[in-house]
Amino acid sequence: MDELMLDGNAVAGLLQEVFAVEMTTAVGTCGDCGAPGPVGAVHVYRGAGIVLRCPHCGNTLAKMVKNGSRVWIDFTGIRTLEVAV
Ligand SMILES: [Zn+2]
């Protein structure tokens, strides 16, 4: 873990705001290496937006940008997302 990186818990509030369910315990499967894991364990990088990376292979799982009342989310790097409802 480098000093600019946080874990998935750092974006728990934003994810819960969008999905209206607890997302840190949701299990995502990486679209590149296929490793499953809780969203709370992904690597988070913040800059102009937020980038979530696979802790196993570094694949970009998701990119999020928030501007006022809108959030843009790109989940291209996630194969599946398992959410408790
Ligand atoms: Zn991966």
Side-chain angles (χ1 to χ4, degrees):
M1 191 177 267
D2 70 43
E3 62 191 46
L4 296 177
M5 192 195 78
L6 303 169
D7 68 24
N9 293 301
V11 291
L14 176 59
L15 292 172
Q16 184 150 7
E17 194 177 328
V18 173
F19 291 100
V21 294
E22 173 56 44
M23 287 297 293
T24 58
T25 55
V27 175
T29 300
C30 177
D32 190 14
C33 74
V39 172
V42 302
H43 292 175
V44 174
Y45 294 87
R46 291 180 164 200
I50 297 168
V51 177
L52 279 60
R53 290 188 175 272
C54 174
H56 303 284
C57 73
N59 175 45
T60 299
L61 300 169
K63 294 172 272 187
M64 299 185 290
V65 175
K66 184 173 184 183
N67 180 7
S69 62
R70 293 189 176 272
V71 178
W72 290 262
I73 304 173
D74 174 349
F75 280 130
T76 306
I78 294 179
R79 185 178 302 165
T80 60
L81 186 61
E82 178 184 335
V83 181
V85 292

